Amino acid sequence: YYKTDPEFGNRKDFRKLIKEAHRRGIRIMMDLVLNHCSEAHPWFKHALKSHQSHHRNWFVWKKAHLISADEKSHWHQPEKGPADELYYGFFWKGMPDFNYDEPAVRKTMKEVALYWIGLGVDALRLDAAMHIYPPGGENENTKWWQEFRRAIDKTGKEIFTVGEITESCAYIAPYLKKGLHSAFNFELAGHIVDALLYERHDCLARWVQDIQDYYLSLDESASDSIFLSNHDQVRIASRLEGHPAKLKLAASILLTLPGEVFLYYGEELGMMGEKPDEHLREPFPWSWADHPLQSRWIVSRHNTPGKIKALDEQRHDSGSLYQHYRNLIQVRKSHPALIRGRMGTVECADSSLVLFTRDLPGQRVLVMHNLSGELIYLQHEEEHVFFEILYGDAAALSDVPGRFRLEGYSSLIMHVNL
């Protein structure tokens, strides 16, 4: 918890990484695993020695006969030490859970976070944030994250925390009240994929608007963390069967919604991947020729020449998915309403059209996404409003004031002159 795996370098290398990233205006987020450690960790090895071990109470133990049939899969027989008790490991035997009723555990985990923050880390991704306590311990989970937040706030640094909580937004909400700054929105990722697969939606924008308003009503510093897929899920390109237009549309939807945007590496190239996990995490294809950065830790099954264009090819193609991401990210960065703006007017009359505004005082951006493959014409109700296209086909603006032409699977992002 205080060292770098030698395969990746040492503390000096880590400090250099932070320094060089900050010099370039890049902030560093670190994954922090506080729910469990490895069965090979010295703390757990020490806990196995005896009931009197200093670290015994750092983990959760129970007599075998007290464990019910429906929870047996989470309890594991130790390979060494006293055999009369089993230890709790929610995910599997190789990852024993910490006991957060033990004050020394709580103290140590806060110290671990502060150590890395002291080295210059700017943000923390908090793994398995909903599993600090076993299922049913949600109230205790939220209390812990509030305690954790207070410890971080005392540093006086602007540290961002995002929790991995694989439940609904209603479940997530209490965690954001003076606790975590944000949590990954797994529900939204599912809704976006479904909308693209079926080419229709059930008022997606209104749902996002309600979530944003709900979170901010609990804590004005709370925010959503939005994504399309992650390291544990079938990649978005595989879900959409590599459909080029839909992959661009997925990026357009994601990058126009409120929240902190997370991109899983390779999404910007259209990398594909399906279970097992190793093949969700195949090497990033820098080039199909020899390249000094190319990793070869596994032989790729899904991302090979002929199936996907490598970065060195896409970066020189103005119509590539990679350039689409670059352009949209620049549009988002250049217009504060797309970053901090509230969801404004939402139109849900046509299930194949996602239409909404993003509003800040004095700035409004109008966003349209056509989920279908058919051409759509739209008429703005106020004919004398001036529109400036920020992203989209210039032909989208017709000669008729306030009339728009939206091609199949396309998006239109416009600044509205208020």
Side-chain angles (χ1 to χ4, degrees), residues 285-354:
W286 295 89
S287 173
W288 294 128
D290 288 337
H291 194 285
L293 293 178
Q294 189 60 52
S295 168
R296 293 178 176 82
W297 75 273
I298 190 174
V299 176
S300 293
R301 178 184 299 169
H302 303 285
N303 301 286
T304 57
K307 289 186 178 180
I308 180 177
K309 293 181 179 179
L311 174 64
D312 64 351
E313 184 177 355
Q314 292 204 32
R315 69 190 307 174
H316 299 297
D317 177 2
S318 62
S320 69
L321 180 61
Y322 172 76
Q323 292 296 351
H324 180 79
Y325 267 93
R326 281 179 60 91
N327 293 338
L328 276 166
I329 289 170
Q330 188 58 44
V331 169
R332 186 179 177 94
K333 288 174 64 176
S334 301
H335 296 86
L338 286 173
I339 299 175
R340 303 190 305 273
R342 298 290 287 267
M343 292 287 282
T345 303
V346 172
E347 176 58 57
C348 298
D350 186 341
S351 64
S352 63
L353 179 69
V354 181

Side-chain angles (χ1 to χ4, degrees), residues 193-218:
V193 171
D194 286 345
L196 292 163
L197 285 174
Y198 300 112
E199 302 188 2
R200 62 179 302 280
H201 69 107
D202 186 14
C203 207
L204 174 65
R206 179 69 45 76
W207 183 83
V208 173
Q209 183 182 50
D210 290 344
I211 295 302
Q212 185 185 35
D213 291 345
Y214 182 32
Y215 283 177
L216 290 174
S217 73
L218 295 172

Side-chain angles (χ1 to χ4, degrees), residues 136-196:
E138 287 77 15
N139 288 339
E140 294 305 314
N141 286 342
T142 56
K143 289 177 183 177
W144 156 251
W145 291 120
Q146 288 168 349
E147 181 181 327
F148 186 82
R149 169 80 170 268
R150 290 194 293 272
I152 287 177
D153 286 348
K154 287 179 181 177
T155 66
K157 297 181 179 180
E158 189 178 339
I159 305 298
F160 175 72
T161 60
V162 56
E164 182 197 26
I165 303 176
T166 57
E167 291 285 346
S168 69
C169 294
Y171 180 100
I172 287 169
Y175 286 82
L176 306 183
K177 191 172 183 178
K178 299 182 179 179
L180 299 170
H181 294 96
S182 188
F184 292 111
N185 193 334
F186 285 82
E187 267 192 300
L188 175 62
H191 288 325
I192 292 175
V193 171
D194 286 345
L196 292 163

